[in-house]
Amino acid sequence: METFNHKLNVYFETWMGPRDQRVRGWLLLDNYPPTFALTVMYLLIVWMGPKYMKHRQPYSCRGLLVLYNLGLTLLSFYMFYELVTAVWYGGYNFYCQDTHSAQDVDNKIINVLWWYYFSKLIEFMDTFFFILRKNNHQITFLHIYHHASMLNIWWFVMNWVPCGHSYFGASLNSFVHVVMYSYYGLSAIPAMRPYLWWKKYITQFQLIQFFLTMSQTIFAVIWPCGFPDGWLYFQIGYMVTLIFLFSNFYMQTYNKHSASLRKEHQNGSPLSTNGHANGTPSMEHAAHKKLRVD
């Protein structure tokens, strides 16, 4: 296994250049196979989990969901705060920042971004809760693609570009996750659900995040500073895939929902204020059961 890891590391360095030595010895970062194996295990659970739960009663998981979402909300806030304050007081350049130009700030950014990488492993639990609660309609291609790809992408980021221009997307995403996980934590408490009105805007917020990250990455292409171009082009391409997939999700979930409401109104089918019409759940209620994107 050690020989295999060595050969794999040599291959990566031949392809992408020398690795950043500042993260040597850090948990999960020295070799790629553990991260890849965890991703394969995740995909196997995604495949086998619904089959296992098919003839079983769903689990509530309410208490665990509150604690889980609260924990990720706090972790996301910590990462956002630490990244923003480090960049602000450390004088990082917004348009482009190399990975070896501000040692003290770089070291702090690297520490926080390791937690960001590790949080992508923790977030696999999103899918596992869907499986345990038999919310299989939530386990979409977008959901799996986003979760599986982020852990692997950030292993490579942490090994080659663990600071500098890499901070921006992680900062925005951490802030979005503060909003998102606080929403899902509160929604696990039945008494709070009538007061949660901003679910629709979470997806809009995510799309704004992707556009801003892509724009800021393009700045580094236009005004280069030594940050590797290959990573910039990769991030732009990855943002394009997320914009496409999240936009499709938004249109499928909310635009069709609005069109259905207009059609029902034109056909004279009023919806009662408690969200039901003739004993059938309203479209508004159905929309809340639709896909979760994170």
Side-chain angles (χ1 to χ4, degrees), residues 162-199:
C163 55
H165 212 69
S166 302
Y167 83 90
F168 188 78
S171 303
L172 274 183
N173 189 242
S174 295
F175 183 63
V176 169
H177 279 192
V178 171
V179 177
M180 187 185 74
Y181 282 110
S182 61
Y183 172 88
Y184 287 113
L186 292 171
S187 68
I189 305 171
M192 295 298 300
R193 290 172 190 164
Y195 305 102
L196 304 177
W197 50 267
W198 64 90
K199 181 179 181 180

Side-chain angles (χ1 to χ4, degrees), residues 60-77 122-123 125-127 129-130 133 147 177-189 292 294:
S60 170
C61 302
R62 184 173 299 160
L64 282 175
L65 281 169
V66 173
L67 291 175
Y68 169 75
N69 286 292
L70 175 62
L72 277 177
T73 300
L74 294 174
L75 177 59
S76 298
F77 180 79
I122 298 172
E123 288 168 15
M125 289 299 301
D126 291 358
T127 316
F129 280 123
F130 289 156
R133 301 172 71 205
H147 278 64
H177 279 192
V178 171
V179 177
M180 187 185 74
Y181 282 110
S182 61
Y183 172 88
Y184 287 113
L186 292 171
S187 68
I189 305 171
R292 166 178 169 176
D294 38 30

Side-chain angles (χ1 to χ4, degrees), residues 81-135:
Y81 176 80
E82 290 293 320
L83 289 170
V84 170
T85 54
V87 166
W88 182 264
Y89 293 111
Y92 258 34
N93 189 308
F94 173 77
Y95 295 102
C96 187
Q97 182 69 38
D98 195 11
T99 57
H100 290 84
S101 51
Q103 183 176 345
D104 291 340
V105 184
D106 289 348
N107 289 337
K108 187 171 184 179
I109 296 294
I110 292 170
N111 277 279
V112 179
L113 289 185
W114 180 86
W115 278 105
Y116 183 77
Y117 155 75
F118 191 72
S119 73
K120 300 308 158 191
L121 177 61
I122 298 172
E123 288 168 15
F124 282 177
M125 289 299 301
D126 291 358
T127 316
F128 301 157
F129 280 123
F130 289 156
I131 293 171
L132 291 172
R133 301 172 71 205
K134 299 186 75 169
N135 288 343

